[in-house]
Amino acid sequence: MKYMILMLFLFSSTTWAACSPNQCHGIGKDVLVSVYPSGTGHIYLEAPADKGKLNCQLVEGHYMTLKNTHPVFEAMYSTILTALSTQKKLTVRIVENSEGCEVMYVRMFT
């Protein structure tokens, strides 16, 4: 029984949320704490607690930036909102060493 509880803990959704130098991944709400559409047209994505592992300069120390000039901006924003609302696994990949922690791509897993 003790091992079963340990296995449940290890494979729970919150266990899967994490950041590395080039991405954050996990279940929707655990990967992105908030989504903030700005007046500039960019979308700011608040990274989770271990955001310090990301190799980029977060906006105000908290946000990755999905630029409205990205060629597939609308598709990425839609993917993010879908992953958040359905609690699917999500990866947000950033451009390393970027100012504003620019989002390179997102990927949702069903």
Side-chain angles (χ1 to χ4, degrees):
M1 182 69 169
K2 179 170 58 173
Y3 294 109
M4 185 179 214
I5 292 171
L6 178 61
M7 293 302 285
L8 285 172
F9 173 75
L10 290 174
F11 292 106
S12 71
S13 64
T14 55
T15 304
W16 291 105
C19 292
S20 64
N22 64 7
Q23 68 183 2
C24 292
H25 60 275
I27 302 296
K29 67 178 175 53
D30 297 324
V31 175
L32 297 177
V33 178
S34 71
V35 177
Y36 166 45
S38 73
T40 63
H42 301 317
I43 306 296
Y44 294 114
L45 308 172
E46 188 172 358
D50 67 345
K51 61 187 168 269
K53 294 179 182 177
L54 288 169
N55 185 15
C56 59
Q57 293 179 324
L58 293 159
V59 174
E60 298 179 3
H62 299 283
Y63 303 101
M64 298 175 277
T65 306
L66 175 55
K67 293 187 174 183
N68 63 354
T69 55
H70 194 287
V72 291
F73 169 81
E74 289 182 20
M76 286 201 302
Y77 189 38
S78 176
T79 300
I80 289 166
L81 295 177
T82 300
L84 289 172
S85 66
T86 60
Q87 291 303 296
K88 298 289 185 185
K89 290 181 185 175
L90 177 68
T91 296
V92 179
R93 175 71 158 82
I94 56 100
V95 177
E96 287 192 76
N97 299 309
S98 62
E99 188 173 326
C101 208
E102 184 178 343
V103 175
M104 180 185 296
Y105 66 82
V106 298
R107 184 174 181 194
M108 181 178 67
F109 300 86
T110 56

